[in-house]
Amino acid sequence: CAWLASMAAIAFTLASACLVLLPGLSPRTHARLPSSSLRMVALAEPAAGAKPRSRGAGQRERVSTTSLPLRIDGAWYDLSSYADEHPGGRWLLEYARGRDVTALFHAIHMKNSKLATAALSRLPRLESESLPQPSRPCPFPSEQASEGTLQGPYVLAGLDGKPVPEAPPLPPIESELRRDLAEMLRREFPTPASSKASAAHWARTIAALVGTVACWAGWVQGSALACLLLPFVHWVLIAHTVHEATHGNLHTDPRINFWAQFTSHPICFNVFVWIPQHLLSHH
């Protein structure tokens, strides 16, 4: 029974990766994006000089089936034309589709906030009235798909019967502490690569990966020692990969970050739960 359960967990991991990659089956199913827009990506700082393709600063449009709407500082923006050029990539932007990410935007882009704000100002805006909202708070993904709706600006808002607030309940973002921290980040990490995993980090990661694979092989063969070591060795691998990968901070290549997130499967946690809870809510 344990063997069958583990095989089912591994199959779930592989199926999860396929769901993210295949058109019409990923978390963006409800937006019905074409396969041409399914390139992988993660939230990260925009590269110096990066210019999003724009239809004109401040231009407002109605939502189309290929738009990628995000709400920042009270305004809705369409990131569909820029997501594939975003240095971190598209895939974590897709997790935030249809939500208010004001706090996350300012937290992630603290180091180069002026550059990020300038890039944002060049993106086309969307009329809030054109955004299809679900018929009830927090519907299942299948309901969103059938309704063609988005998650809504505040995922947990409205559950108590009260109307969704016009602006997220955030404390003041700008402060002396934030400015000092941003200056420290610019000083300690002058380039995008300087904040990513070091060679020593990758050496430990590879060692943990080899150990994890060896433990799984021993488990298949019925080794009691492998069964005992597997959770601990696998945790060491996860500790070196998932958190940084889902923050777009493990490697400069978003494809590596994308695949590294799945090292949490099958025995630690589900990244499709981790990202909404940790990134979209906690951060």
Side-chain angles (χ1 to χ4, degrees):
C1 290
W3 186 87
L4 290 175
S6 297
M7 289 298 100
I10 293 172
F12 169 77
T13 297
L14 296 175
S16 298
C18 292
L19 289 178
V20 174
L21 296 175
L22 292 178
L25 295 177
S26 71
R28 43 194 134 165
T29 297
H30 58 273
R32 309 192 188 285
L33 290 178
S35 58
S36 61
S37 64
L38 295 184
R39 283 186 252 172
M40 303 172 293
V41 239
L43 285 170
E45 310 223 13
K51 295 181 179 180
R53 293 188 301 271
S54 173
R55 302 175 185 84
Q59 179 179 351
R60 292 181 179 271
E61 302 179 347
R62 292 192 64 81
V63 167
S64 68
T65 56
T66 58
S67 63
L68 176 48
L70 297 177
R71 192 176 193 236
I72 301 171
D73 291 327
W76 285 96
Y77 295 89
D78 180 9
L79 278 77
S80 59
S81 62
Y82 178 58
D84 289 329
E85 300 174 19
H86 192 276
R90 174 185 289 269
W91 61 278
L92 283 181
L93 295 178
E94 290 287 356
Y95 275 107
R97 169 184 293 276
R99 302 184 184 186
D100 191 299
V101 292
T102 298
L104 184 60
F105 173 81
H106 290 289
I108 293 294
H109 302 102
M110 179 186 299
K111 189 174 76 170
N112 294 317
S113 58
K114 292 182 179 179
L115 182 62
T117 301
L120 184 67
S121 68
R122 296 192 291 268
L123 295 174
R125 293 193 181 188
L126 298 168
E127 295 288 354
S128 59
E129 296 78 13
S130 65
L131 293 165
Q133 297 297 314
S135 58
R136 66 182 184 86
C138 302
F140 288 108
S142 58
E143 293 179 80
Q144 290 180 317
S146 63
E147 295 178 8
T149 59
L150 306 173
Q151 292 100 325
Y154 312 106
V155 180
L156 299 180
L159 293 180
D160 55 2
K162 298 179 181 179
V164 176
E166 286 297 321
L170 298 174
I173 293 176
E174 288 299 329
S175 67
E176 184 177 354
L177 173 61
R178 175 183 169 84
R179 289 189 289 271
D180 289 345
L181 181 58
E183 179 60 32
M184 185 273 289
L185 291 173
R186 286 190 289 268
R187 183 174 61 253
E188 296 294 328
F189 307 108
T191 65
S194 62
S195 64
K196 303 303 188 282
S198 64
H201 186 106
W202 280 113
R204 293 191 298 268
T205 301
I206 293 172
L209 176 61
V210 171
T212 300
V213 172
C215 286
W216 276 112
W219 173 83
V220 170
Q221 296 171 3
S223 168
L225 180 61
C227 291
L228 178 64
L229 293 177
L230 177 58
F232 302 99
V233 178
H234 195 180
W235 178 86
V236 172
L237 173 63
I238 293 167
H240 280 75
T241 53
V242 178
H243 184 269
E244 285 74 10
T246 55
H247 284 68
N249 209 45
L250 182 64
H251 197 275
T252 54
D253 189 336
R255 293 170 297 182
I256 294 177
N257 293 325
F258 174 84
W259 288 110
Q261 68 175 320
F262 294 110
T263 56
S264 67
H265 295 188
I267 63 175
C268 188
F269 58 83
N270 186 343
V271 293
F272 297 112
V273 176
W274 160 268
I275 289 176
Q277 287 186 345
H278 182 73
L279 284 181
L280 301 180
S281 179
H282 169 69
H283 281 288

